[in-house]
Coordinates of all heavy atoms in Angstrom, one line a residue:
M1 N -36.4 40.5 -80.2 CA -37.1 41.4 -79.2 C -36.6 41.1 -77.8 O -36.4 42.0 -77.0 CB -38.6 41.2 -79.4 CG -39.4 42.1 -78.5 SD -39.2 43.8 -78.9 CE -40.3 44.6 -77.9
N2 N -36.4 39.8 -77.5 CA -36.0 39.5 -76.1 C -34.6 40.0 -75.8 O -34.4 40.4 -74.7 CB -36.1 38.0 -76.0 CG -36.0 37.6 -74.5 OD1 -36.3 38.4 -73.6 ND2 -35.7 36.3 -74.3
S3 N -33.7 40.0 -76.8 CA -32.4 40.5 -76.6 C -32.4 42.0 -76.3 O -31.6 42.6 -75.6 CB -31.5 40.2 -77.7 OG -31.9 40.8 -78.9
L4 N -33.4 42.7 -77.0 CA -33.5 44.2 -76.8 C -33.9 44.5 -75.3 O -33.4 45.4 -74.7 CB -34.6 44.7 -77.7 CG -34.9 46.3 -77.6 CD1 -33.7 47.0 -78.0 CD2 -36.1 46.6 -78.4
V5 N -34.8 43.6 -74.8 CA -35.2 43.8 -73.3 C -34.0 43.5 -72.5 O -33.8 44.2 -71.4 CB -36.4 42.9 -73.0 CG1 -36.7 42.9 -71.5 CG2 -37.7 43.3 -73.8
D6 N -33.2 42.5 -72.7 CA -32.1 42.1 -71.9 C -31.1 43.3 -71.9 O -30.5 43.6 -70.8 CB -31.5 40.8 -72.4 CG -32.3 39.6 -72.2 OD1 -33.1 39.6 -71.2 OD2 -32.2 38.7 -73.0
Y7 N -30.8 43.8 -73.1 CA -29.8 44.9 -73.1 C -30.3 46.2 -72.5 O -29.5 46.9 -72.0 CB -29.3 45.1 -74.6 CG -28.4 43.9 -75.0 CD1 -28.8 43.1 -76.1 CD2 -27.2 43.7 -74.4 CE1 -28.0 42.0 -76.4 CE2 -26.3 42.6 -74.8 CZ -26.8 41.8 -75.8 OH -26.0 40.8 -76.2
T8 N -31.6 46.4 -72.6 CA -32.2 47.6 -72.0 C -32.0 47.4 -70.5 O -31.7 48.4 -69.8 CB -33.6 47.8 -72.4 OG1 -33.7 47.9 -73.8 CG2 -34.2 49.0 -71.8
A9 N -32.4 46.3 -69.9 CA -32.3 46.0 -68.5 C -30.8 46.2 -68.0 O -30.6 46.7 -67.0 CB -32.8 44.6 -68.1
F10 N -29.9 45.7 -68.8 CA -28.5 45.8 -68.5 C -28.0 47.3 -68.5 O -27.3 47.7 -67.6 CB -27.6 45.1 -69.5 CG -26.2 45.1 -69.3 CD1 -25.6 44.4 -68.3 CD2 -25.3 45.9 -70.1 CE1 -24.2 44.4 -68.0 CE2 -24.0 46.0 -69.8 CZ -23.4 45.3 -68.8
A11 N -28.5 48.1 -69.5 CA -28.1 49.5 -69.5 C -28.7 50.2 -68.4 O -28.1 51.1 -67.7 CB -28.6 50.1 -70.8
M12 N -30.0 50.0 -68.0 CA -30.6 50.6 -66.9 C -29.9 50.2 -65.5 O -29.7 51.0 -64.7 CB -32.1 50.2 -66.8 CG -32.9 50.9 -67.8 SD -32.9 52.7 -67.8 CE -33.6 53.0 -66.2
G13 N -29.5 48.9 -65.5 CA -28.8 48.5 -64.3 C -27.4 49.2 -64.2 O -27.0 49.5 -63.0
C14 N -26.7 49.4 -65.3 CA -25.4 50.1 -65.2 C -25.7 51.6 -64.7 O -25.0 52.1 -63.9 CB -24.8 50.2 -66.6 SG -24.2 48.6 -67.1
I15 N -26.7 52.2 -65.2 CA -27.1 53.6 -64.8 C -27.4 53.7 -63.3 O -26.9 54.5 -62.6 CB -28.1 54.2 -65.7 CG1 -27.6 54.4 -67.1 CG2 -28.7 55.5 -65.2 CD1 -28.7 54.7 -68.1
L16 N -28.3 52.8 -62.9 CA -28.7 52.7 -61.5 C -27.5 52.4 -60.6 O -27.4 53.0 -59.4 CB -29.9 51.7 -61.3 CG -31.2 52.2 -61.7 CD1 -32.2 51.1 -61.7 CD2 -31.7 53.3 -60.8
A17 N -26.7 51.4 -60.9 CA -25.5 51.0 -60.1 C -24.6 52.3 -60.0 O -24.1 52.5 -58.9 CB -24.8 49.9 -60.7
L18 N -24.4 53.0 -61.1 CA -23.5 54.2 -61.0 C -24.1 55.2 -60.1 O -23.4 55.8 -59.3 CB -23.2 54.7 -62.4 CG -22.3 55.9 -62.5 CD1 -20.9 55.6 -62.0 CD2 -22.3 56.5 -63.9
A19 N -25.4 55.5 -60.3 CA -26.0 56.5 -59.5 C -26.1 56.1 -58.0 O -25.9 56.9 -57.1 CB -27.5 56.8 -59.9
G20 N -26.3 54.8 -57.8 CA -26.3 54.3 -56.4 C -24.9 54.4 -55.7 O -24.8 54.8 -54.6
L21 N -23.9 54.1 -56.5 CA -22.5 54.2 -55.9 C -22.2 55.6 -55.6 O -21.5 55.9 -54.5 CB -21.5 53.6 -57.0 CG -20.1 53.4 -56.5 CD1 -20.0 52.5 -55.3 CD2 -19.2 53.0 -57.7
I22 N -22.5 56.6 -56.4 CA -22.3 58.0 -56.2 C -23.0 58.4 -54.9 O -22.5 59.1 -54.1 CB -22.7 58.8 -57.4 CG1 -21.6 58.6 -58.5 CG2 -22.7 60.3 -57.1 CD1 -22.0 59.2 -59.8
S23 N -24.3 58.0 -54.8 CA -25.1 58.4 -53.6 C -24.6 57.8 -52.4 O -24.5 58.5 -51.4 CB -26.5 57.9 -53.8 OG -27.2 58.6 -54.9
V24 N -24.1 56.6 -52.4 CA -23.5 55.9 -51.2 C -22.2 56.6 -50.8 O -22.0 56.9 -49.6 CB -23.3 54.4 -51.4 CG1 -22.5 53.8 -50.4 CG2 -24.7 53.7 -51.5
L25 N -21.4 56.9 -51.8 CA -20.0 57.5 -51.5 C -20.1 58.9 -51.0 O -19.4 59.3 -50.1 CB -19.1 57.3 -52.7 CG -18.7 55.9 -53.0 CD1 -17.8 55.9 -54.3 CD2 -17.9 55.3 -51.9
F26 N -21.0 59.7 -51.7 CA -21.0 61.2 -51.4 C -22.2 61.6 -50.7 O -22.3 62.9 -50.4 CB -20.8 61.9 -52.8 CG -19.5 61.6 -53.5 CD1 -19.6 60.9 -54.7 CD2 -18.3 61.9 -53.0 CE1 -18.4 60.6 -55.4 CE2 -17.1 61.7 -53.6 CZ -17.2 60.9 -54.8
G27 N -23.2 60.8 -50.5 CA -24.4 61.3 -49.8 C -25.2 62.2 -50.6 O -25.9 63.1 -50.0
W28 N -25.2 62.1 -51.9 CA -25.9 63.0 -52.8 C -27.0 62.2 -53.5 O -27.0 61.1 -53.8 CB -24.9 63.4 -53.9 CG -25.6 64.2 -55.0 CD1 -25.9 65.5 -55.0 CD2 -26.0 63.7 -56.2 NE1 -26.4 65.9 -56.2 CE2 -26.5 64.7 -56.9 CE3 -25.9 62.4 -56.8 CZ2 -27.0 64.6 -58.2 CZ3 -26.4 62.2 -58.1 CH2 -26.9 63.3 -58.8
A29 N -28.2 62.9 -53.6 CA -29.4 62.3 -54.3 C -29.7 63.4 -55.3 O -29.6 64.6 -55.1 CB -30.5 62.0 -53.4
P30 N -30.3 63.0 -56.5 CA -30.6 64.0 -57.5 C -31.7 64.9 -56.9 O -32.5 64.6 -56.1 CB -31.2 63.1 -58.6 CG -30.7 61.8 -58.5 CD -30.4 61.6 -57.0
S31 N -31.6 66.2 -57.3 CA -32.5 67.2 -56.7 C -34.0 67.0 -57.1 O -34.9 67.4 -56.4 CB -32.1 68.6 -57.3 OG -32.2 68.7 -58.7
W32 N -34.3 66.2 -58.1 CA -35.6 66.0 -58.5 C -36.3 64.9 -57.6 O -37.5 64.7 -57.7 CB -35.8 65.6 -60.0 CG -34.9 64.6 -60.4 CD1 -33.7 64.7 -61.0 CD2 -35.2 63.2 -60.5 NE1 -33.2 63.5 -61.3 CE2 -34.0 62.6 -61.0 CE3 -36.2 62.4 -60.1 CZ2 -33.9 61.2 -61.1 CZ3 -36.2 61.0 -60.2 CH2 -35.0 60.4 -60.8
L33 N -35.5 64.3 -56.8 CA -36.0 63.3 -55.8 C -36.3 64.0 -54.5 O -35.6 63.7 -53.5 CB -35.1 62.1 -55.7 CG -34.9 61.2 -56.9 CD1 -33.9 60.2 -56.7 CD2 -36.2 60.6 -57.3
R34 N -37.3 64.7 -54.4 CA -37.7 65.5 -53.2 C -38.2 64.5 -52.0 O -38.1 64.9 -50.9 CB -38.7 66.5 -53.4 CG -38.2 67.6 -54.3 CD -39.3 68.7 -54.6 NE -40.5 68.2 -55.2 CZ -40.7 68.0 -56.5 NH1 -39.7 68.3 -57.3 NH2 -41.8 67.5 -56.9
H35 N -38.6 63.4 -52.4 CA -39.2 62.4 -51.4 C -38.1 61.6 -50.7 O -38.4 60.9 -49.8 CB -40.3 61.5 -52.0 CG -39.7 60.7 -53.0 ND1 -39.4 61.2 -54.4 CD2 -39.3 59.4 -53.1 CE1 -39.0 60.2 -55.1 NE2 -38.8 59.1 -54.3
V36 N -36.9 61.8 -51.1 CA -35.8 61.0 -50.5 C -35.3 61.8 -49.3 O -34.8 62.9 -49.4 CB -34.6 60.8 -51.5 CG1 -33.4 60.1 -50.9 CG2 -35.1 59.9 -52.6
D37 N -35.3 61.2 -48.1 CA -34.9 61.8 -46.9 C -33.4 61.5 -46.6 O -32.7 62.3 -46.1 CB -35.8 61.4 -45.7 CG -35.6 62.3 -44.5 OD1 -35.2 63.4 -44.7 OD2 -35.7 61.7 -43.4
R38 N -33.0 60.3 -47.0 CA -31.7 59.8 -46.7 C -31.0 59.4 -48.0 O -31.3 58.3 -48.5 CB -31.7 58.6 -45.7 CG -32.2 59.0 -44.4 CD -32.4 57.9 -43.5 NE -33.0 58.2 -42.2 CZ -33.7 57.4 -41.5 NH1 -33.9 56.2 -41.9 NH2 -34.3 57.8 -40.4
P39 N -30.1 60.2 -48.6 CA -29.6 59.9 -49.9 C -28.7 58.6 -49.9 O -28.7 57.9 -50.9 CB -28.7 61.1 -50.2 CG -29.2 62.2 -49.3 CD -29.8 61.6 -48.1
R40 N -28.1 58.3 -48.8 CA -27.3 57.1 -48.8 C -28.2 55.9 -48.9 O -27.8 54.8 -49.6 CB -26.5 57.0 -47.6 CG -25.3 58.1 -47.6 CD -24.2 57.8 -46.6 NE -23.4 58.9 -46.2 CZ -22.5 59.4 -47.0 NH1 -22.3 59.0 -48.2 NH2 -21.7 60.4 -46.6
L41 N -29.3 55.9 -48.3 CA -30.3 54.7 -48.5 C -30.8 54.7 -49.9 O -31.0 53.5 -50.4 CB -31.3 54.8 -47.4 CG -30.9 54.5 -46.0 CD1 -32.0 54.7 -45.0 CD2 -30.4 53.1 -45.9
F42 N -31.0 55.8 -50.5 CA -31.4 55.8 -51.9 C -30.3 55.1 -52.7 O -30.6 54.4 -53.6 CB -31.6 57.3 -52.4 CG -31.7 57.3 -53.9 CD1 -32.7 56.9 -54.6 CD2 -30.6 57.8 -54.5 CE1 -32.8 57.0 -56.0 CE2 -30.6 57.9 -55.9 CZ -31.7 57.6 -56.7
G43 N -29.1 55.4 -52.4 CA -27.9 54.8 -53.1 C -27.9 53.3 -52.9 O -27.6 52.6 -53.8
V44 N -28.2 52.8 -51.7 CA -28.2 51.4 -51.5 C -29.3 50.8 -52.4 O -29.1 49.7 -53.0 CB -28.5 51.1 -50.0 CG1 -28.8 49.6 -49.8 CG2 -27.3 51.5 -49.2
W45 N -30.5 51.4 -52.4 CA -31.6 50.9 -53.2 C -31.2 50.9 -54.7 O -31.3 49.9 -55.4 CB -32.8 51.8 -53.1 CG -33.9 51.5 -54.1 CD1 -34.8 50.5 -54.1 CD2 -34.1 52.2 -55.3 NE1 -35.5 50.5 -55.2 CE2 -35.2 51.6 -56.0 CE3 -33.5 53.3 -56.0 CZ2 -35.7 52.0 -57.2 CZ3 -34.0 53.7 -57.2 CH2 -35.1 53.0 -57.8
A46 N -30.6 52.0 -55.2 CA -30.2 52.1 -56.6 C -29.1 51.1 -56.9 O -29.1 50.5 -58.0 CB -29.8 53.5 -57.0
L47 N -28.1 50.9 -56.0 CA -27.0 50.0 -56.3 C -27.5 48.5 -56.3 O -27.2 47.8 -57.2 CB -26.0 50.2 -55.2 CG -24.7 49.4 -55.4 CD1 -24.0 49.9 -56.7 CD2 -23.8 49.7 -54.1
C48 N -28.4 48.1 -55.4 CA -29.0 46.8 -55.3 C -29.8 46.5 -56.6 O -29.7 45.5 -57.3 CB -29.8 46.6 -54.1 SG -28.8 46.5 -52.6
I49 N -30.7 47.4 -56.9 CA -31.5 47.2 -58.1 C -30.7 47.2 -59.4 O -30.9 46.4 -60.3 CB -32.6 48.3 -58.2 CG1 -33.6 48.1 -57.1 CG2 -33.3 48.3 -59.6 CD1 -34.5 46.9 -57.2
G50 N -29.7 48.1 -59.5 CA -28.7 48.1 -60.6 C -28.0 46.8 -60.8 O -27.9 46.3 -61.8
L51 N -27.5 46.2 -59.7 CA -26.8 45.0 -59.7 C -27.7 43.8 -60.2 O -27.3 43.0 -60.9 CB -26.1 44.6 -58.4 CG -24.9 45.6 -58.1 CD1 -24.4 45.2 -56.7 CD2 -23.8 45.4 -59.1
F52 N -29.0 43.9 -59.7 CA -29.9 42.9 -60.0 C -30.2 43.0 -61.6 O -30.2 41.9 -62.2 CB -31.2 43.0 -59.3 CG -32.3 42.0 -59.6 CD1 -32.2 40.7 -59.1 CD2 -33.3 42.3 -60.5 CE1 -33.2 39.8 -59.4 CE2 -34.2 41.4 -60.9 CZ -34.1 40.1 -60.3
C53 N -30.4 44.2 -62.1 CA -30.7 44.3 -63.5 C -29.5 44.0 -64.3 O -29.6 43.4 -65.5 CB -31.0 45.7 -63.8 SG -32.7 46.2 -63.2
I54 N -28.3 44.2 -63.9 CA -27.1 43.8 -64.6 C -27.0 42.3 -64.8 O -26.7 41.8 -65.9 CB -25.8 44.4 -63.9 CG1 -25.7 45.9 -64.2 CG2 -24.5 43.7 -64.5 CD1 -24.7 46.6 -63.4
T55 N -27.4 41.6 -63.8 CA -27.3 40.1 -63.9 C -28.4 39.6 -64.6 O -28.5 38.3 -64.7 CB -27.2 39.5 -62.4 OG1 -28.3 39.9 -61.7 CG2 -25.9 40.0 -61.7
Q56 N -29.3 40.4 -65.2 CA -30.4 39.8 -66.0 C -29.8 39.5 -67.4 O -30.5 38.9 -68.2 CB -31.5 40.8 -66.1 CG -32.4 40.9 -64.9 CD -33.0 39.6 -64.5 OE1 -32.6 38.9 -63.7 NE2 -34.1 39.2 -65.3
L57 N -28.7 40.1 -67.8 CA -28.1 39.7 -69.1 C -27.9 38.2 -69.2 O -27.4 37.6 -68.2 CB -26.8 40.4 -69.3 CG -26.2 40.6 -70.7 CD1 -27.2 41.4 -71.6 CD2 -24.8 41.2 -70.6
P58 N -28.4 37.6 -70.3 CA -28.4 36.1 -70.2 C -27.0 35.5 -69.9 O -27.0 34.4 -69.2 CB -28.8 35.8 -71.7 CG -29.6 36.9 -72.1 CD -29.0 38.1 -71.5
A59 N -25.9 36.0 -70.4 CA -24.6 35.4 -70.1 C -24.3 35.4 -68.6 O -23.8 34.5 -68.0 CB -23.6 36.1 -70.9
L60 N -24.6 36.6 -68.0 CA -24.4 36.8 -66.6 C -25.4 35.9 -65.8 O -25.0 35.4 -64.7 CB -24.4 38.2 -66.2 CG -23.4 39.1 -66.8 CD1 -23.6 40.5 -66.5 CD2 -22.0 38.7 -66.4
R61 N -26.7 35.9 -66.2 CA -27.7 35.2 -65.5 C -27.3 33.6 -65.5 O -27.4 33.0 -64.5 CB -29.0 35.4 -66.1 CG -30.1 34.8 -65.4 CD -31.5 35.1 -65.9 NE -31.6 34.9 -67.4 CZ -32.1 35.8 -68.2 NH1 -32.5 37.0 -67.8 NH2 -32.1 35.6 -69.5
N62 N -26.9 33.1 -66.6 CA -26.5 31.7 -66.7 C -25.3 31.5 -65.8 O -25.1 30.4 -65.2 CB -26.2 31.3 -68.1 CG -27.4 31.3 -69.0 OD1 -28.5 31.3 -68.4 ND2 -27.3 31.4 -70.2
G63 N -24.3 32.4 -65.7 CA -23.2 32.3 -64.8 C -23.6 32.2 -63.4 O -23.0 31.5 -62.6
V64 N -24.6 33.1 -63.0 CA -25.1 33.0 -61.6 C -25.7 31.7 -61.3 O -25.5 31.2 -60.2 CB -26.0 34.2 -61.4 CG1 -26.8 34.1 -60.1 CG2 -25.3 35.5 -61.5
V65 N -26.5 31.2 -62.2 CA -27.2 29.9 -62.0 C -26.1 28.8 -61.9 O -26.3 27.9 -61.1 CB -28.1 29.6 -63.2 CG1 -28.7 28.2 -63.1 CG2 -29.3 30.6 -63.1
R66 N -25.0 28.8 -62.7 CA -24.0 27.9 -62.6 C -23.3 27.9 -61.2 O -22.7 26.9 -60.8 CB -22.9 28.0 -63.7 CG -23.4 27.3 -65.0 CD -22.2 27.3 -66.0 NE -21.8 28.6 -66.2 CZ -22.0 29.4 -67.3 NH1 -22.8 28.8 -68.3 NH2 -21.6 30.6 -67.5
L67 N -23.2 29.1 -60.6 CA -22.6 29.2 -59.3 C -23.3 28.5 -58.2 O -22.8 28.2 -57.1 CB -22.3 30.7 -58.9 CG -21.3 31.4 -59.8 CD1 -21.3 32.9 -59.4 CD2 -19.9 30.8 -59.5
G68 N -24.6 28.3 -58.4 CA -25.3 27.5 -57.4 C -26.4 28.3 -56.8 O -26.7 29.5 -57.0
S69 N -27.0 27.7 -55.7 CA -28.2 28.2 -55.1 C -27.8 29.4 -54.3 O -28.6 30.4 -54.0 CB -28.9 27.2 -54.2 OG -28.0 26.7 -53.2
V70 N -26.6 29.5 -53.7 CA -26.2 30.6 -52.9 C -26.2 31.9 -53.7 O -26.6 33.0 -53.3 CB -24.8 30.4 -52.3 CG1 -24.2 31.6 -51.6 CG2 -24.8 29.2 -51.3
A71 N -25.7 31.9 -55.0 CA -25.6 33.0 -55.9 C -27.0 33.4 -56.3 O -27.3 34.6 -56.3 CB -24.8 32.7 -57.1
V72 N -27.9 32.4 -56.5 CA -29.3 32.8 -56.9 C -30.0 33.4 -55.7 O -30.7 34.4 -55.8 CB -30.0 31.5 -57.3 CG1 -31.5 31.8 -57.5 CG2 -29.5 31.0 -58.6
D73 N -29.8 32.9 -54.5 CA -30.3 33.5 -53.3 C -29.8 34.9 -53.0 O -30.5 35.8 -52.5 CB -30.1 32.6 -52.0 CG -30.8 31.3 -52.1 OD1 -31.8 31.2 -52.9 OD2 -30.4 30.4 -51.4
A74 N -28.5 35.1 -53.4 CA -27.9 36.5 -53.2 C -28.7 37.5 -54.1 O -28.9 38.7 -53.7 CB -26.4 36.5 -53.6
R75 N -29.1 37.1 -55.3 CA -29.8 38.0 -56.2 C -31.2 38.4 -55.6 O -31.6 39.5 -55.6 CB -30.0 37.3 -57.6 CG -28.8 37.3 -58.4 CD -29.0 36.8 -59.8 NE -29.9 37.7 -60.5 CZ -30.9 37.3 -61.3 NH1 -31.2 36.0 -61.5 NH2 -31.6 38.2 -61.9
V76 N -31.8 37.4 -55.0 CA -33.1 37.6 -54.3 C -32.9 38.5 -53.1 O -33.7 39.4 -52.8 CB -33.8 36.3 -53.9 CG1 -35.0 36.6 -53.1 CG2 -34.1 35.5 -55.1
T77 N -31.8 38.4 -52.4 CA -31.4 39.2 -51.2 C -31.2 40.6 -51.6 O -31.6 41.5 -50.9 CB -30.2 38.6 -50.5 OG1 -30.5 37.3 -50.1 CG2 -29.9 39.5 -49.3
L78 N -30.7 40.8 -52.8 CA -30.5 42.2 -53.4 C -31.8 42.9 -53.4 O -32.0 44.0 -53.1 CB -29.8 42.2 -54.7 CG -28.3 42.0 -54.8 CD1 -27.9 41.8 -56.2 CD2 -27.6 43.1 -54.1
L79 N -32.8 42.2 -53.9 CA -34.2 42.8 -54.0 C -34.7 43.1 -52.7 O -35.4 44.2 -52.5 CB -35.2 41.9 -54.8 CG -34.9 41.7 -56.3 CD1 -35.8 40.8 -56.9 CD2 -35.0 43.1 -57.0
L80 N -34.6 42.2 -51.7 CA -35.1 42.5 -50.4 C -34.4 43.6 -49.7 O -35.0 44.5 -49.1 CB -35.0 41.2 -49.5 CG -35.8 40.0 -50.0 CD1 -35.5 38.8 -49.2 CD2 -37.3 40.3 -50.0
V81 N -33.1 43.7 -49.8 CA -32.3 44.8 -49.3 C -32.7 46.1 -49.9 O -32.9 47.1 -49.2 CB -30.8 44.5 -49.4 CG1 -30.0 45.8 -49.1 CG2 -30.4 43.4 -48.5
S82 N -32.9 46.1 -51.2 CA -33.3 47.3 -51.9 C -34.7 47.8 -51.5 O -34.9 49.0 -51.3 CB -33.3 47.2 -53.4 OG -34.3 46.3 -53.8
A83 N -35.6 46.9 -51.3 CA -36.9 47.3 -50.8 C -36.8 47.9 -49.4 O -37.5 48.9 -49.1 CB -37.9 46.1 -50.8
A84 N -36.1 47.3 -48.5 CA -36.0 47.8 -47.2 C -35.3 49.1 -47.2 O -35.8 50.1 -46.4 CB -35.2 46.8 -46.3
A85 N -34.2 49.3 -48.0 CA -33.6 50.7 -48.0 C -34.5 51.7 -48.5 O -34.5 52.9 -48.1 CB -32.3 50.6 -48.9
L86 N -35.3 51.4 -49.5 CA -36.2 52.4 -50.1 C -37.3 52.8 -49.1 O -37.6 53.9 -48.9 CB -36.9 51.8 -51.4 CG -37.9 52.7 -52.1 CD1 -37.1 53.9 -52.6 CD2 -38.5 52.0 -53.2
L87 N -37.9 51.8 -48.4 CA -38.9 52.1 -47.4 C -38.3 52.9 -46.2 O -39.0 53.8 -45.7 CB -39.5 50.8 -46.9 CG -40.4 50.1 -47.9 CD1 -40.9 48.8 -47.3 CD2 -41.6 51.0 -48.3
V88 N -37.1 52.6 -45.7 CA -36.6 53.4 -44.6 C -36.1 54.8 -45.1 O -36.1 55.7 -44.3 CB -35.4 52.5 -44.0 CG1 -34.6 53.4 -43.0 CG2 -35.9 51.3 -43.4
G89 N -35.7 54.9 -46.3 CA -35.1 56.2 -46.8 C -36.1 57.2 -47.3 O -35.8 58.3 -47.5
L90 N -37.4 56.9 -47.3 CA -38.4 57.8 -47.8 C -38.7 58.8 -46.7 O -38.8 58.5 -45.6 CB -39.7 57.1 -48.2 CG -39.6 56.2 -49.5 CD1 -40.9 55.5 -49.8 CD2 -39.2 57.1 -50.7
R91 N -39.1 60.0 -47.2 CA -39.4 61.1 -46.3 C -40.9 60.8 -45.7 O -41.8 60.6 -46.5 CB -39.4 62.4 -47.0 CG -39.7 63.6 -46.1 CD -39.3 64.9 -46.8 NE -37.8 64.9 -46.9 CZ -37.2 65.7 -47.7 NH1 -37.8 66.5 -48.5 NH2 -35.9 65.7 -47.7
R92 N -41.0 60.9 -44.4 CA -42.3 60.7 -43.8 C -43.0 62.1 -43.7 O -42.4 63.1 -43.4 CB -42.2 60.2 -42.4 CG -41.4 58.9 -42.3 CD -42.3 57.7 -42.8 NE -41.7 56.4 -42.6 CZ -41.0 55.7 -43.4 NH1 -40.8 56.2 -44.6 NH2 -40.5 54.6 -43.1
P93 N -44.3 62.1 -43.9 CA -45.1 63.4 -43.7 C -45.0 63.8 -42.3 O -45.1 63.0 -41.4 CB -46.5 63.1 -44.1 CG -46.6 61.7 -44.5 CD -45.2 61.0 -44.3
R94 N -44.8 65.1 -42.1 CA -44.7 65.6 -40.7 C -46.1 65.8 -40.1 O -47.1 66.1 -40.8 CB -44.0 67.0 -40.8 CG -42.7 66.9 -41.5 CD -41.6 67.5 -40.7 NE -40.4 67.5 -41.5 CZ -39.3 66.8 -41.2 NH1 -39.3 66.1 -40.1 NH2 -38.2 66.8 -41.9
G95 N -46.2 65.7 -38.8 CA -47.4 65.9 -38.0 C -48.3 64.7 -37.9 O -49.4 64.8 -37.5
Q96 N -47.8 63.5 -38.2 CA -48.5 62.3 -38.1 C -47.9 61.3 -37.2 O -46.8 61.2 -37.0 CB -48.7 61.6 -39.5 CG -49.6 62.4 -40.4 CD -49.8 61.6 -41.7 OE1 -49.3 60.5 -41.9 NE2 -50.6 62.2 -42.6

């Protein structure tokens, strides 16, 4: 069961990283995301979350841990950057 979760997180990470890369390069966001005001920031969010999910695969996660504390801190930084990009990129209600 645990390997199913790991591979599902890896697959979702690949999809998010690809969507994020397309959004960053072309400034495009899916049409169903009406709340996204800045597509490139959506891309940064998706790319960071995707890379974080990709490194959840046990072989990659163990490799990151072997690289040391800088690599582990870089994974946490990905989460912080993605949260900031998501908050900055959301559409604000007008008139407030």
